[in-house]
């Protein structure tokens, strides 16, 4: 199993793949999908993205634009952000050193807290509109979502939390122009 190979060998931690450090969040280069060790992860996550496109009613045609790993250390977080050069993004929860890792928080893109006055809540009912949806961190779990949706992680309570992320764009014919083709490698 490729995920145990990556974790048990500590290959990512020992290699020079981790380059960027932002206060406890350490990021690899964005081309892991081109590295031999990550081909099984790339193919698996790419399949998850294409199946999600099919589930949403789109043709299952996408290409990878980037793939990377994040290593969060204790006390760090990944602040609210979205992804560029992507339509669909997937996150593979790879490793949690102590089992306390938080998942990913997704923010409702339609909720404009500062410009719309909402009606009062009836606290006796379960809310149907959520402003934040959180995904629990479970090793081996893949989350697929639109990369333009703002998301973040909570403060890392583990010594280490590691994920692999992948971005993709649709390829092939579009609904507007049958000759308009995208070609991402």
């Amino acid at each position: 199993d490729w995920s145990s190979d990556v974790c048990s060998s500590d290959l990512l931690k020992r290699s020079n793949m981790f380059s960027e450090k932002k206060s406890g969040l350490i990021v690899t280069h964005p081309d892991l999908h081109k590295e031999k060790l990550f081909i099984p992860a790339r193919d698996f996550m790419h399949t998850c993205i294409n199946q999600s496109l099919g589930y949403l009613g789109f043709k299952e045609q996408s290409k990878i634009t980037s793939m990377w790993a994040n290593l969060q250390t204790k006390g760090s977080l990944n602040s609210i952000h979205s992804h560029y050069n992507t339509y669909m993004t997937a996150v593979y929860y790879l490793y949690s050193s102590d089992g306390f890792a938080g998942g990913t928080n997704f923010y409702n893109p339609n909720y404009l807290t500062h410009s719309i006055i909402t009606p009062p809540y009836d606290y006796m009912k379960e809310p149907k509109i959520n402003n934040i949806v959180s995904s629990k961190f479970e090793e081996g779990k893949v989350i697929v979502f639109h990369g333009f949706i703002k998301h973040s992680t909570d403060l890392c309570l583990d010594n280490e939390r590691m994920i692999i992320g992948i971005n993709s764009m649709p390829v092939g014919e579009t609904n507007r122009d049958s000759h308009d083709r995208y070609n991402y490698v």
Side-chain angles (χ1 to χ4, degrees):
D1 163 81
W2 62 267
S3 62
S4 61
D5 291 343
V6 172
C7 289
S8 65
S9 68
D10 290 326
L11 177 68
L12 277 170
K13 289 186 248 175
R14 287 184 287 122
S15 72
N16 291 328
M17 290 184 197
F18 282 107
S19 56
E20 186 180 337
K21 295 183 181 184
K22 295 189 283 187
S23 61
L25 177 63
I26 307 164
V27 184
T28 66
H29 63 77
D31 292 324
L32 288 186
H33 59 291
K34 297 176 182 176
E35 305 237 2
K36 186 176 180 180
L37 175 69
F38 292 94
I39 289 173
R42 176 199 70 195
D43 292 348
F44 173 66
M45 293 173 72
H46 193 219
T47 298
C48 292
I49 286 173
N50 279 332
Q51 287 175 346
S52 295
L53 284 169
Y55 175 79
L56 294 172
F58 298 108
K59 290 187 177 181
E60 297 182 18
Q61 302 173 160
S62 70
K63 292 284 185 174
I64 298 163
T65 58
S66 60
M67 183 172 162
W68 67 97
N70 283 355
L71 176 65
Q72 276 182 264
T73 58
K74 192 169 193 149
S76 67
L77 56 83
N78 201 347
S79 59
I80 298 174
H81 66 284
S82 57
H83 295 211
Y84 300 96
N85 194 25
T86 185
Y87 184 71
M88 297 300 281
T89 296
V91 174
Y92 183 90
Y93 294 143
L94 185 63
Y95 169 74
S96 167
S97 65
D98 307 310
F100 303 117
T104 307
N105 303 313
F106 298 95
Y107 300 90
N108 184 345
N110 297 320
Y111 190 74
L112 304 171
T113 57
H114 300 292
S115 61
I116 298 174
I117 299 173
T118 60
Y121 288 106
D122 181 347
Y123 293 102
M124 301 304 288
K125 297 179 180 177
E126 180 181 341
K128 302 293 186 237
I129 299 173
N130 294 312
N131 301 322
I132 300 174
V133 174
S134 296
S135 169
K136 183 180 176 189
F137 188 103
E138 297 172 24
E139 289 182 7
K141 182 178 181 180
V142 176
I143 306 293
V144 179
F145 58 97
H146 290 290
F148 54 80
I149 293 177
K150 292 192 180 285
H151 55 284
S152 68
T153 64
D154 292 328
L155 198 65
C156 185
L157 302 176
D158 282 12
N159 286 319
E160 293 179 338
R161 170 196 187 271
M162 190 181 298
I163 63 98
I164 295 177
I166 191 170
N167 288 334
S168 71
M169 287 292 279
V171 295
E173 293 180 358
T174 66
N175 290 335
R176 295 179 309 164
D177 179 358
S178 62
H179 301 290
D180 185 12
R181 300 186 67 80
Y182 297 95
N183 186 13
Y184 293 93
V185 187

